[in-house]
Every structure is written in structure tokens, then in C-alpha cells.
Amino acid sequence: IQKCVNYNQGQKIFGFDETSYIGKISFPSIQAAPSFSTSFPHLFGDKKLHCLIPCAIDQDPYFRMTRDVAPRLGLPKPALLHSTFLPALQGAQTKMSSSEVNSAVEGNDTPNQI
């Protein structure tokens, strides 16, 4: 994915500039990777399956980039299901955060944690 999006494209999509940190520049491709079934060979083998991504509208630029990259990788374009914003578990006035353990359900949470 990183080889399919050059700096100029990233600059136009995400507003990178000469002060942007390397983590900010590399993050879009990291966020895009789970959009493809080939990122999960332990679940899907080598099948190239379509993916439906529920996301808040602020994530749209990441997944538009992903849809542009998919054909160059020989993978199906993911489909998006937009929401205004996905609220945290504490309610609509709060935000999900990985640093706040009670704000989201993580994929590796146990039934007791949920």
C-alpha cells in the first residue's frame, strides 16, 4: 500500500507538509491494510474477498485512498458504510479512545470485559 501512494498524493489527500512527522505520513497505509481480506490469511486464506467498512465520515479520505489503491494491488475495492460519527460507549458526547479502556469494545476483549 505504501508503494502505491506517493508523497504528493498524500499531501493532497491529508495535507502533509514539510513539518509532518513520519508517523503521520505512514499512518494512512496502516489504516488501509485491514480493508483487504489478504491482511487476514489466518481467517480467509488467500481469498480476495470484498470488505464492508463501517466508519465515521471523518475517516472517508483514508478509505477513498484505499479504494484507489485496491485495483493496483489486484484486490477488490472495499465498500464503505458511513455514519455521522460512531459514539463511544459512554454516550454521544464522548469519543472512542484506545487510552480510555471503557470507551470502546476491542477485538480481543473477553466476554467479561464487554
Side-chain angles (χ1 to χ4, degrees):
I1 296 168
Q2 288 178 337
K3 291 180 179 181
C4 293
V5 180
N6 65 40
Y7 182 78
N8 287 335
Q9 291 169 309
Q11 192 175 29
K12 289 175 186 172
I13 298 168
F14 304 105
F16 302 147
D17 62 25
E18 61 277 352
T19 65
S20 296
Y21 295 103
I22 193 72
K24 182 178 179 183
I25 295 168
S26 64
F27 181 73
S29 59
I30 293 168
Q31 179 149 342
S35 302
F36 303 116
S37 62
T38 54
S39 294
F40 304 98
H42 57 289
L43 297 175
F44 305 113
D46 59 355
K47 295 178 186 172
K48 295 179 180 178
L49 304 172
H50 289 272
C51 182
L52 176 62
I53 302 169
C55 65
I57 196 70
D58 64 325
Q59 301 300 303
D60 186 65
Y62 295 97
F63 295 112
R64 284 183 181 266
M65 177 203 71
T66 304
R67 290 178 54 79
D68 290 344
V69 167
R72 289 185 270 165
L73 297 172
L75 298 169
K77 292 181 177 184
L80 302 179
L81 179 63
H82 285 118
S83 170
T84 307
F85 280 97
L86 300 173
L89 297 175
Q90 291 91 355
Q93 304 305 320
T94 62
K95 201 176 159 185
M96 282 190 242
S97 170
S98 60
S99 60
E100 174 55 53
V101 296
N102 295 319
S103 71
V105 176
E106 302 291 336
N108 60 351
D109 284 350
T110 66
N112 286 340
Q113 289 172 310
I114 295 171

